[in-house]
Amino acid sequence: MGRRARGRRLQQRPQGAEDGAEGGGKRREAGWEGGYPEIVKENKLFEHYYQELKIVPEGEWDQFMEALREPLPATLRITGYKSHAKEILHCLKNKYFKELEDLEVDGQKVEVPQPLSWYPEELAWHTNLSRKILRKSPQLEKFHQFLVSETESGNISRQEAVSMIPPLLLNAHPHHKILDMCAAPGSKTTQLIEMLHADMNVPFPEGFVIANDVDNKRCYLLVHQAKRLSSPCIMVVNHDASSIPRLTIDVNGKKEILFYDRILCDVPCSGDGTMRKNIDVWKKWTTLNSLQLHGLQLRIAARGAEQLVEGGRMVYSTCSLNPIEDEAVIASLLEKSEGALELADVSSELPGLKWMPGITQWKVMTKDGQWFSEWEAVPHGRHTQIRPTMFPPKDPERLQAMHLERCLRILPHHQNTGGFFVAVLVKKSSMPWNKRPPKLQGEPREPVRSGPTDPAKLESKPVGGIDDTGIAERAENVEDNGSKKDGVCGPPPSKKMKLFGFKEDPFVFIPEDDPLFPPIQKFYALDPSFPKMNLLTRTTEGKKRQLYMVSKELRNVLLNNSERVKVINTGIKVWCRNNSGEEFDCAFRLAQEGIYTLYPFINSRIITVSMEDVKILLTQENPFFRKLSSETYSQAKDLAKGSIVLKYEPDPTKPDTLQCPIVLCGWRGKASIRTFVPKNERLHYLRMMGLEVLAEKKKEGAVLAPESEGGSGPPEAECGVEPAASASVDAAPGPDPAEGALPR
């Protein structure tokens, strides 16, 4: 806006508008608070719709509506490796929760957080504290800081309670191949990754998670969430879930179709179960949202069912209470499957969870309140909006055989949660349209016949007509065109993909004879079993600055599907190049992100440290040997300068001390040792050892680094490490400035 226009606007302002207080008072009288009108939590059409459908038990309607108008309680889930999770739980219960006892905020008594009765091992908790109170109350500053820091380092996830249910019902194990079809923002994906790493002693589980989302930007949010768990078994891809490509893998030299053991199908929905946190839904709710989404939800579920292995389990879920998005999708999918799918009875799998069984009869309502009980009653003009798959099956026997009552509907007033719907499907055989023989090449197509068509038949037409084995044979016969470099998994051709978003760097596996690897192997005395074939970089030219690692199963997926899948991210960083590294016999130093994966294969440069040593290393920027214990000094004095591993082993005879192992990356200088650990991870370990350190403050002699500004060069951001303190130090000869100074 120009100066003249601004001048005219000022002249046109009503008298008294200059008086801020008076103007503000007028706005408040008009119902405006903070510049926004207060949203009235009422929607007559919503109430009329759900009362008519009778999804709420008789006599509970008032409690149901009252619960929807209350803010959603804060819930958190403890994540990560099991032994670390137990230590965090111990810290939460014995320190932070005790401090909340008898505390009042804004006249409201703070309830001590309680465990979710149905979540295993007390690893999920809820409290009546709203996000607003948690953020703004000075009494809760320490607790809030703990939550923020632990969330950032991946040890806690603030996740809605009902959102934790689908991964639990998926019942995933470390050897399962898992597909998360609509994964962003990623809280359920992190749960699945945790299930893969149930055994902390196995660095490379046989299974993996492929997390997909159609939104390119949300894929990066997904990457951020997954990165917190530092797993080599996660791959983030960017596709429309309803047409996500079939992947192939190499099995004993033959190309075979990849079928998943577990599929999570948490589809896009109207979200009327989220009214407690998404207040906009109150005024925007209409049945049109559900009618428009039903077709997409059914296509995604059908695509998931196609890619599920026989005997596999698929969980379909929505945060909507609407049967058009819930039972109607499941009933239609079961009908299309002709017995290939069936609903599993999971009523006993989450004891303590209250839920309502799925309904077997429902009606369809238009946005203007008109009801239809059957497809035949829908006028022709409404056929584009209302589809035959939205109605319950007419045949009572078929309807009964579907066992729709095995679906789970979570109502907000039963356990003070959001609204949710879950159905667990098991695949008994191939989908019917995949059993049909594939058409021979050159076979004439059936002529297109004109005439009246039955929309119900069109709707139930299968998605494809290719046999699973036929696809596998076709995949096997596909020959490379010779243009693809060996071990390079580049982004797919843009003409094929037609997907917008950032152009990703290729994934390049390190060749077996690469001269880069032997010095690393020698320096760290890597075990002969180390899977060096799984190392990759993100560049085909110039110096390799970062080395990443994936499991051999994901390597198989990457190498065989680079032309058909858009991979956003995979692998964890295990080594970072340091420009002065050649002077220390190795050009690469260890990265904290991948140390728990790498550690089992390292046989050299390991220093066992005590708990007191760990405290000193994490709170002092560059401690000299004399500050550390004599045991630590005796191990470090004969080591050459360079990257080291610092290992803390718990002492079972001292139950009051930290009872989980810690592995840290460090640097052995001329007369000192430094750790290279991200800030939030340092804070996490210090808390676990009983040392409370407030950010950027001194306490008990601890000095912590301010948060990284992001630096000017990508290597620092990519390496993701900070020295243990913020004060400047003399650098070792010639390191890359962006990599951070190394101790002498």
Side-chain angles (χ1 to χ4, degrees):
M1 189 190 293
R3 266 184 304 179
R4 289 180 183 176
R6 275 200 299 272
R8 284 197 297 270
R9 288 282 298 272
L10 286 168
Q11 287 169 11
Q12 290 165 6
R13 286 178 68 185
Q15 202 169 2
E18 291 83 357
D19 184 356
E22 190 181 331
K26 285 176 181 175
R27 282 195 297 273
R28 278 193 293 276
E29 284 169 24
W32 290 73
E33 281 289 342
Y36 293 96
E38 191 177 335
I39 292 174
V40 179
K41 295 179 180 179
E42 276 187 23
N43 188 309
K44 295 297 179 191
L45 194 64
F46 172 87
E47 293 191 41
H48 169 62
Y49 183 70
Y50 282 117
Q51 279 180 316
E52 185 73 23
L53 291 178
K54 296 183 171 60
I55 65 158
V56 178
E58 206 169 326
E60 295 183 20
W61 181 259
D62 290 341
Q63 296 101 292
F64 170 73
M65 290 305 297
E66 198 176 319
L68 280 178
R69 293 187 179 105
E70 289 294 317
L72 195 66
T75 48
L76 59 92
R77 185 172 56 79
I78 299 166
T79 62
Y81 292 115
K82 276 285 158 61
S83 60
H84 284 224
K86 285 176 183 171
E87 285 298 317
I88 296 166
L89 178 59
H90 177 78
C91 181
L92 267 174
K93 287 167 80 172
N94 297 307
K95 181 175 172 57
Y96 293 98
F97 291 168
K98 278 193 174 177
E99 291 176 5
L100 297 180
E101 290 175 8
D102 306 319
L103 188 65
E104 281 195 15
V105 176
D106 294 343
Q108 180 187 9
K109 189 177 187 311
V110 174
E111 289 177 16
V112 177
Q114 297 296 319
L116 294 176
S117 59
W118 45 267
Y119 201 95
E121 300 180 51
E122 287 194 340
L123 291 178
W125 294 70
H126 69 111
T127 170
N128 69 333
L129 294 169
S130 68
R131 290 183 180 184
K132 185 179 176 183
I133 292 173
L134 268 175
R135 280 198 299 264
K136 294 188 175 178
S137 169
Q139 301 101 307
L140 295 166
E141 181 191 359
K142 200 186 289 185
F143 183 48
H144 181 244
Q145 200 173 75
F146 167 81
L147 290 178
V148 170
S149 176
E150 293 294 328
T151 300
E152 194 58 38
S153 56
N155 298 302
I156 279 178
S157 286
R158 281 180 278 179
Q159 179 181 355
E160 194 179 338
V162 288
S163 156
M164 303 174 194
I165 296 170
L168 290 177
L169 291 177
L170 209 54
N171 193 24
H173 295 285
H175 63 278
H176 282 152
K177 300 173 184 69
I178 306 168
L179 172 65
D180 190 350
M181 299 188 78
C182 310
S187 53
K188 297 180 187 72
T189 310
T190 56
Q191 266 181 282
L192 296 172
I193 297 169
E194 288 163 40
M195 291 171 183
L196 285 184
H197 293 278
D199 185 351
M200 191 175 173
N201 297 315
V202 180
F204 293 103
E206 287 179 35
F208 55 78
V209 177
I210 293 179
N212 173 68
D213 203 84
V214 68
D215 188 316
N216 184 264
K217 288 181 181 175
R218 279 166 63 89
C219 281
Y220 291 93
L221 181 60
L222 190 52
V223 170
H224 173 73
Q225 286 272 51
K227 283 285 177 192
R228 299 182 310 148
L229 291 180
S230 301
S231 170
C233 307
I234 168 76
M235 184 162 84
V236 176
V237 299
N238 180 202
H239 286 275
D240 177 354
S242 64
S243 56
I244 190 167
R246 284 181 182 272
L247 304 184
T248 59
I249 51 174
D250 190 289
V251 181
N252 300 322
K254 292 176 70 176
K255 288 274 183 81
E256 290 188 8
I257 291 293
L258 170 61
F259 289 100
Y260 300 94
D261 302 295
R262 298 287 187 267
I263 294 181
L264 179 56
C265 191
D266 186 51
V267 295
C269 65
S270 62
D272 60 18
T274 68
M275 282 179 157
R276 299 181 69 176
K277 64 174 183 179
N278 297 326
I279 303 174
D280 274 2
V281 178
W282 282 98
K283 62 177 182 179
K284 292 180 179 176
W285 187 91
T286 164
T287 55
L288 188 60
N289 297 335
S290 299
L291 300 177
Q292 289 173 338
L293 284 165
H294 169 88
L296 174 64
Q297 292 162 339
L298 182 54
R299 290 196 302 277
I300 292 173
R303 188 60 176 159
E306 286 177 352
Q307 303 210 15
L308 190 64
V309 74
E310 286 182 31
R313 182 179 271 211
M314 181 172 91
V315 171
Y316 175 89
S317 63
T318 74
C319 47
S320 168
L321 300 171
N322 199 327
I324 305 303
E325 303 176 66
D326 300 341
E327 285 93 345
V329 172
I330 296 298
S332 179
L333 186 61
L334 290 171
E335 198 158 3
K336 286 173 187 289
S337 77
E338 297 175 10
L341 296 174
E342 71 174 38
L343 275 169
D345 182 358
V346 292
S347 55
S348 60
E349 292 192 16
L350 290 179
L353 178 67
K354 292 181 183 174
W355 50 275
M356 296 299 297
I359 60 176
T360 54
Q361 291 298 326
W362 60 89
K363 297 183 288 184
V364 178
M365 188 177 85
T366 62
K367 65 175 181 178
D368 48 11
Q370 188 179 0
W371 289 96
F372 297 103
S373 302
E374 55 183 7
W375 165 250
E376 289 74 19
V378 180
H380 195 268
R382 299 268 190 187
H383 280 188
T384 52
Q385 188 185 91
I386 298 174
R387 306 302 302 149
T389 51
M390 296 175 182
F391 295 89
K394 280 185 172 180
D395 186 341
E397 286 184 13
R398 270 166 54 202
L399 183 60
Q400 191 176 354
M402 287 180 179
H403 293 292
L404 290 178
E405 72 281 355
R406 291 178 179 174
C407 300
L408 278 58
R409 180 175 274 104
I410 318 295
L411 298 179
H413 63 292
H414 282 166
Q415 286 180 307
N416 198 13
T417 63
F420 210 71
F421 175 86
V422 198
V424 181
L425 294 149
V426 176
K427 190 172 182 180
K428 295 296 182 183
S429 61
S430 289
M431 300 300 279
W433 54 88
N434 287 338
K435 291 177 183 173
R436 295 169 189 169
K439 288 182 181 176
L440 297 171
Q441 279 193 331
E443 184 182 324
R445 293 187 177 191
E446 285 184 25
V448 178
R449 292 175 185 160
S450 58
T453 55
D454 181 1
K457 286 181 181 174
L458 279 174
E459 197 72 26
S460 62
K461 200 171 180 182
V463 178
I466 307 168
D467 186 357
D468 290 345
T469 53
I471 299 169
E473 285 168 16
R474 190 201 292 180
E476 198 179 330
N477 294 331
V478 172
E479 293 183 8
D480 291 333
N481 57 15
S483 62
K484 185 181 161 188
K485 292 181 185 175
D486 193 31
V488 180
C489 309
S494 55
K495 282 183 184 176
K496 278 188 184 179
M497 295 307 301
K498 293 183 181 174
L499 278 176
F500 298 100
F502 301 104
K503 182 177 170 60
E504 289 298 325
D505 293 326
F507 297 84
V508 187
F509 284 94
I510 306 288
E512 203 162 354
D513 56 352
D514 196 311
L516 172 144
F517 186 70
I520 296 175
Q521 189 167 27
K522 183 182 175 185
F523 190 71
Y524 296 103
L526 295 179
D527 195 85
S529 65
F530 179 75
K532 62 180 180 181
M533 295 290 287
N534 300 349
L535 283 174
L536 59 86
T537 64
R538 298 295 302 272
T539 177
T540 51
E541 299 169 1
K543 272 190 175 181
K544 299 174 178 70
R545 301 199 63 82
Q546 322 287 340
L547 296 184
Y548 301 87
M549 195 152 199
V550 293
S551 65
K552 75 174 192 295
E553 288 78 15
L554 272 189
R555 179 183 189 273
N556 192 345
V557 173
L558 269 170
L559 286 175
N560 287 290
N561 298 282
S562 62
E563 296 299 313
R564 63 169 67 89
V565 68
K566 183 178 180 183
V567 180
I568 299 295
N569 196 281
T570 191
I572 51 165
K573 193 182 301 102
V574 286
W575 280 291
C576 299
R577 178 182 288 277
N578 185 67
N579 283 354
S580 64
E582 288 83 351
E583 299 174 27
F584 308 110
D585 303 325
C586 182
F588 288 87
R589 64 175 170 83
L590 298 162
Q592 182 67 26
E593 181 185 318
I595 193 61
Y596 283 96
T597 298
L598 207 53
Y599 174 74
F601 302 101
I602 298 175
N603 293 313
S604 175
R605 306 194 62 77
I606 300 170
I607 297 176
T608 304
V609 292
S610 68
M611 195 159 86
E612 288 307 312
D613 288 333
V614 176
K615 287 180 183 178
I616 291 167
L617 288 163
L618 290 178
T619 57
Q620 297 186 24
E621 65 173 77
N622 199 11
F624 288 102
F625 292 151
R626 65 174 180 269
K627 291 188 176 181
L628 304 170
S629 66
S630 56
E631 291 86 356
T632 300
Y633 173 67
S634 64
Q635 295 172 76
K637 65 182 172 64
D638 296 327
L639 286 178
K641 285 195 283 185
S643 192
I644 54 171
V645 177
L646 300 158
K647 175 73 187 287
Y648 164 77
E649 284 287 0
D651 185 350
T653 63
K654 298 177 181 175
D656 292 340
T657 59
L658 185 65
Q659 288 299 302
C660 66
I662 294 177
V663 185
L664 305 173
C665 292
W667 185 272
R668 195 269 196 219
K670 187 176 180 181
S672 61
I673 290 177
R674 158 172 281 178
T675 54
F676 279 89
V677 181
K679 173 188 167 185
N680 285 312
E681 204 166 330
R682 290 202 313 274
L683 287 169
H684 161 68
Y685 290 131
L686 289 168
R687 282 196 196 96
M688 295 306 101
M689 290 183 288
L691 184 63
E692 182 60 47
V693 187
L694 295 176
E696 302 177 295
K697 292 180 184 176
K698 294 185 181 183
K699 190 175 179 184
E700 298 183 35
V703 183
L704 292 184
E707 198 139 8
S708 169
E709 293 293 332
S712 57
E716 171 66 19
E718 288 180 359
C719 273
V721 293
E722 298 174 6
S726 57
S728 60
V729 293
D730 293 331
D736 181 355
E739 291 283 318
L742 302 175
R744 291 177 293 174

